[in-house]
Amino acid sequence: MAATGEAVLDVRGLTRLYGAGCPDCLVLTGPDAGTNICPQCHAIVACNNISFDLEQGEILGIVGESGSGKSTLLRCICFDEEATAGECYFAAFGTGRDDAFSQTGQARRYIRNHLLGIVYQNPLMGIKPHFTAGGNVAEKLLTADVYNVSLIRQRAATLLQRTEVPLARMDDFPANFSGGMQQRVQIAKALANNPPVLLLDEVSTGLDVSVQARVLDLIKEIQRDLGIAMIVVSHDLGVIRLLADRTGVMQHGQVIEFGLTDQILEDPQHRYTQLLVHSML
Amino acid sequence: MGNVLSVRQLSKHFILHILGGKVIAGCEEIGFDLKQGEFLGLTGPSGAGKSTVLKCIYRTYLPTSGQMLYTGKDGRQIDLACAPEREMIRLRRREIGYVSQFLKVMPRVPAVDVLAGELRQKGWEMERARQRAREFLKIMDINQALWDAYPSTFSGGEQQRINLARTLITEPRLLLLDEPTASLDIVTRQIVIRVLKDSKAAGATMIGVFHDLDVMGRLVDRVFGIEAGRSSTQCSPPQVATDLTPVPGHYYDSASVECGAGASTDRRGSGRIASREDTL
Amino acid sequence: MGVNQNRKHRGYNFAFLDENTKREIRRKLLKAVAIPGYQVPFASPELPIARGWGTGGLQITMAIIGPGDVLKVIDQGCDGSVNAVNIRKLLVKTTGVATTFDTNAASIIQTRHRIPEEAMRQDQILVLQVPIPEPLRYVEASEAKTREMHGEMDYSRMWVYLYENIVQYGEITIGARYPSLVNRRYLIDPSPIPRWDVPKLNQAETLYLFGAGREKRIYAVPPHTLAEPLEFEDFRFRVEDFTGRSCIRCGATDTYMNEMYDSSSGRKLFVCSDSGYCDRRREQSVTQNLACAEPTGHPLGRVPPKAEALVAPIQERSRSYPTASKEAGALEQVVIEGKEAR
């Protein structure tokens, strides 16, 4: 499904500081300063005034080295961390112009449960190893108010099958699964309620190459079939190339370059992006 | 019929920060018009900037200056040089296709699904997309036994046909071909020529870069010469086949020079990289 | 019948607690009623009864009782078991209020593990003793986390617990303490009442007050408030099934019954858990000259200790519920009764 022109997610000026911060933090850090630590107050500027929007069915790639703030960006959007400043609008929440960052915990929980799917790099952050694989998928459905056991089991079976988790293991505990299989359970869980926005943090990192390919194809398929918009954070340019329509490059907490993915990869403009691209294997 | 594409004074320079800000010229003040249904061949020596022009039109490269006015299906004129990224994505999905020399596909996806995937992207329903994909594999003369195999296991010729097919199946209005027949066996080359002729007959407008002047001669309506990043000449195709010797500055006999820069022998851009895949 | 004649002990304030403490508890009660299902922390002062033995319920009763109230105290439906007797004694000694075994006659009923069979009225208050007020304790050990979960109404893990229950056993195996959603907002532990009693909380006439002394929490289900047990669309909440059973004492077929085993005959016997209700039915059947199917003597009836003879005409030890064996309340019961080893 192609992007429709309607932004499902709109992020404006997202900023995240670790530490007290001072008035000059945002100016004294960034690619030009060569650091994300404020020389004055020693606060860490993980995300510095980041703005972008996301259309339905669009995949946005975020690349950058570790510590550049890309994971923090995702964690702020899904409320795992509180943004220090900035606004975030979900088309499907309220009037569409209600800032999600300034909502109550309960409203944020609603957004997270109904409008977001999250896949963490570490599968155990997204799934509970002592709930069954099916139970983990069920959790997501239950948070989204599906209260029918047979429906839940059907959907869980479909999703687990799609992510190549053997159905025979649906009622087993992910604690006993391999890392790759845990990751696939996590993806199945994230997709359970057909969220309009899916956040993927280094989703294929640490997976077998064979599994990685299948997972990436699955993500692409989901985008095409369900029109789910995604933010894919990865340091792997190969993953970004296969998945993302547009890509942003982050360094020292700032987005230094935004563009069509093939343009970022073949005609990078920024010094750091060129370094990144030319370091690609 | 109006122009589908008007390229005006298109220039592209690469600034390599990691080489201390070194500037490399890709192409310089290129200009040409392309009518609906026309097939333009770009020629020139290796590294002349032919691919750069194609990639600028597809916006894989950000043009440094100039205009590329594209008239869409809906009659709207868009300057591809500065169109918003989402506009480009929409055009790529619906109107503008690009075929490179290399097949880049998702690993472990069967050939039929590679093609179907392109149609799915346009909103086709799965079974219908697969059906059309099978038809296309047949047109491309791909052995039926391979339809459900992964293209990465295919021979070079088969891969190239898949590569072409995945773009052609979406029936683009404007097709950009970057050496689609490079290093192909005779059989594959015949197939490619056939399907490109079919596409042209169906009304597609095309720009192609060919090393194989024989193939080009059989396909294009007009030839546009690029040399050292600048336009050199334009001529009609019959002359292409007869003159295969590149002469600097007078690459081909001029037929209708209408590009802004005109013939030029200014050979700047030593050390230029035209096909940047080499370096990536 | 059963009205206590004891005089109030003069050495203590009315209802043992000083007035400030009672006022504090009443304030917390008001908050609990204002936010149905929300667990209000309270100070929970020391009492002459150890925490975990009904002190939460006791403090609520002490805070709301007045000289004109008529008190009924039951433990697992029975007016005569140790816990009920001791609490009743303490309250009577410090207030001098009248007591009763008759649900209809009482204005305040303090109870452990049961809600009386007879429908209660709006002029009555039911005070429940709660061992573990946190319904999410099943699925989350951290108190900080569970409070956040309540704050955000994040009950998915409780739901998954129920789902896994169904996957594993084909049904929801929670016998007592069945989690219920109050006013479509807060999940509560309705105290270890059997499932049988859970529907009585919903849109009731009566005010239900829950006190957990050890855990220092008070919560309430006010009258005419939704209290819905968690259930799936295809796995509905069910109460215990007593089809084909009848009480050997009063012949009732529509009450929550305790199962007992008569070792001499090898038979399973059933008897009403609500002793006050059972007694009343028996009285009625005697006055109406209706034949009783069973002998009047209780097969497992024990001779009551002297101290209890006054208040407990039917000496029936409360039994554990077969389905309740897994939950924590059962443990407490073992401690209190010392005999019901499971």
Side-chain angles (χ1 to χ4, degrees), chain A residues 90-169:
Chain A
F90 289 85
F93 174 69
T95 60
R97 295 315 294 172
D98 295 329
D99 175 23
F101 287 157
S102 55
Q103 298 298 319
T104 61
Q106 199 185 341
R108 290 191 211 179
R109 169 76 55 186
Y110 172 87
I111 294 173
R112 199 185 143 100
N113 289 346
H114 289 77
L115 308 180
L116 282 174
I118 303 137
V119 181
Y120 297 96
Q121 178 174 4
N122 177 359
L124 295 182
M125 283 184 68
I127 58 173
K128 307 216 165 56
H130 299 292
F131 286 165
T132 61
N136 271 290
V137 179
E139 185 183 13
K140 185 77 182 174
L141 288 166
L142 289 163
T143 59
D145 302 330
V146 178
Y147 297 117
N148 185 310
V149 174
S150 44
L151 217 73
I152 288 170
R153 285 190 70 73
Q154 260 174 37
R155 180 102 181 109
T158 311
L159 286 162
L160 292 172
Q161 219 159 16
R162 204 161 178 182
T163 49
E164 295 186 352
V165 176
L167 270 194
R169 307 210 62 182

Side-chain angles (χ1 to χ4, degrees), chain A residues 1-5 7 52-55 57-58 164 209-214 216-217 220-221 223-225 241-243 245-246 257-272 274-275 277-278 280, chain B residues 12-21 55-56 58-63 84-86 88-90 92-94 98 103-110 113-114 116-123 126 273 276-277 279-280:
Chain A
M1 200 180 288
T4 57
F52 63 88
D53 61 2
L54 194 63
E55 286 184 359
E58 181 182 32
E164 295 186 352
V209 178
S210 59
V211 179
Q212 195 174 9
R214 191 69 197 96
L216 295 181
D217 183 45
K220 195 79 188 164
E221 214 176 288
Q223 178 228 8
R224 281 201 295 252
D225 294 1
R241 179 169 62 82
L242 284 174
L243 292 180
D245 303 307
R246 292 189 309 144
E257 190 170 348
F258 235 120
L260 296 165
T261 300
D262 55 334
Q263 181 250 300
I264 293 286
L265 294 179
E266 296 197 29
D267 185 18
Q269 306 291 305
H270 194 277
R271 167 192 296 277
Y272 172 71
Q274 291 185 355
L275 185 72
V277 167
H278 291 295
M280 209 167 135
Chain B
K12 172 63 192 170
H13 304 154
F14 299 97
I15 301 165
L16 296 188
H17 296 289
I18 49 174
L19 295 178
K55 287 189 174 180
C56 279
Y58 199 59
R59 264 286 287 282
T60 297
Y61 290 168
L62 270 178
E85 286 135 16
R86 291 219 180 90
M88 277 316 297
I89 291 171
R90 266 186 279 277
R92 285 175 176 194
R93 288 203 179 133
R94 290 173 197 164
Y98 175 85
L103 178 66
K104 286 177 193 159
V105 287
M106 192 74 83
R108 278 181 65 202
V109 177
D113 286 346
V114 168
E118 299 295 330
L119 292 174
R120 305 271 291 136
Q121 198 85 49
K122 291 182 85 177
M126 191 64 186
I273 43 171
R276 286 168 53 83
E277 275 108 340
T279 59
L280 294 185

Side-chain angles (χ1 to χ4, degrees), chain C residues 35-315:
Chain C
I35 316 171
Y38 173 68
Q39 295 171 48
V40 187
F42 79 114
S44 191
E46 296 294 336
L47 288 177
I49 287 183
R51 291 185 195 281
W53 293 60
T55 51
L58 189 56
Q59 287 177 72
I60 292 178
T61 305
M62 287 170 162
I64 61 173
I65 201 165
D69 272 310
V70 180
L71 179 70
K72 174 179 164 81
V73 183
I74 48 175
D75 176 2
Q76 305 211 45
C78 178
D79 295 272
S81 68
V82 182
N83 189 241
V85 170
N86 285 331
I87 286 173
R88 183 186 300 108
K89 271 187 180 168
L90 177 64
L91 286 168
V92 166
K93 271 196 172 168
T94 56
T95 63
V97 297
T99 63
T100 178
F101 294 165
D102 182 358
T103 299
N104 291 319
S107 60
I108 297 175
I109 301 179
Q110 182 173 333
T111 176
R112 170 176 176 267
H113 295 200
R114 273 309 310 272
I115 294 173
E117 296 291 350
E118 288 139 302
M120 292 176 63
R121 303 180 309 268
Q122 60 173 11
D123 59 337
Q124 296 177 304
I125 294 176
L126 191 77
V127 179
L128 289 108
Q129 301 166 204
V130 181
I132 301 168
E134 182 49 75
L136 298 172
R137 198 60 76 225
Y138 281 117
V139 290
E140 175 56 61
S142 152
E143 173 70 15
K145 270 268 169 60
T146 53
R147 292 178 85 166
E148 192 182 302
M149 288 159 83
H150 282 296
E152 299 181 0
M153 203 181 162
D154 172 23
Y155 298 137
S156 56
R157 283 161 75 178
M158 190 70 231
W159 280 104
V160 178
Y161 178 87
L162 301 181
Y163 162 88
E164 303 260 72
N165 232 252
I166 291 169
V167 169
Q168 215 174 339
Y169 305 108
E171 62 171 338
I172 295 170
T173 55
I174 299 174
R177 293 183 59 204
Y178 197 96
S180 305
L181 194 65
V182 177
N183 202 24
R184 301 246 157 99
R185 178 60 186 84
Y186 285 102
L187 194 68
I188 62 157
D189 179 328
S191 86
I193 54 174
R195 286 185 295 190
W196 183 269
D197 289 340
V198 172
K200 294 175 189 166
L201 296 172
N202 187 41
Q203 298 287 11
E205 293 292 319
T206 313
L207 171 62
Y208 296 98
L209 300 174
F210 297 80
R214 186 179 48 199
E215 307 273 334
K216 304 184 173 66
R217 293 288 184 279
I218 285 171
Y219 51 103
V221 178
H224 307 288
T225 303
L226 283 173
E228 300 158 297
L230 298 188
E231 60 179 356
F232 292 97
E233 285 160 15
D234 49 348
F235 281 83
R236 289 290 175 191
F237 170 82
R238 287 183 304 133
V239 299
E240 291 81 356
D241 184 10
F242 295 107
T243 312
R245 320 275 194 221
S246 62
C247 174
I248 51 165
R249 291 187 68 242
C250 70
T253 54
D254 57 351
T255 63
Y256 183 80
M257 283 179 265
N258 293 330
E259 182 185 309
M260 289 171 298
Y261 178 70
D262 181 0
S263 52
S264 56
S265 68
R267 277 196 309 161
K268 274 181 185 169
L269 304 172
F270 290 85
V271 66
C272 289
S273 145
D274 185 343
S275 61
Y277 180 70
C278 195
D279 288 346
R280 221 156 62 87
R281 274 182 55 90
R282 275 167 53 81
E283 276 165 28
Q284 281 168 2
S285 69
V286 169
T287 51
Q288 288 163 22
N289 276 333
L290 291 173
C292 233
E294 294 285 337
T296 51
H298 198 291
L300 291 186
R302 297 189 177 92
V303 178
K306 269 186 193 166
E308 294 181 25
L310 185 68
V311 290
I314 304 300
Q315 288 312 315

Side-chain angles (χ1 to χ4, degrees), chain B residues 34-107:
Chain B
L34 201 56
K35 289 191 175 58
Q36 167 91 51
E38 200 175 11
F39 196 148
L40 180 71
L42 299 182
T43 59
S46 175
K50 308 181 295 283
S51 291
T52 304
V53 172
L54 285 191
K55 287 189 174 180
C56 279
I57 296 171
Y58 199 59
R59 264 286 287 282
T60 297
Y61 290 168
L62 270 178
T64 309
S65 64
Q67 280 185 315
M68 300 179 291
L69 298 172
Y70 172 77
T71 310
K73 210 182 286 181
D74 53 5
R76 253 183 340 132
Q77 205 171 51
I78 304 153
D79 185 359
L80 300 181
C82 57
E85 286 135 16
R86 291 219 180 90
E87 185 75 54
M88 277 316 297
I89 291 171
R90 266 186 279 277
L91 285 174
R92 285 175 176 194
R93 288 203 179 133
R94 290 173 197 164
E95 301 193 21
I96 303 177
Y98 175 85
V99 183
S100 75
Q101 305 169 49
F102 309 101
L103 178 66
K104 286 177 193 159
V105 287
M106 192 74 83

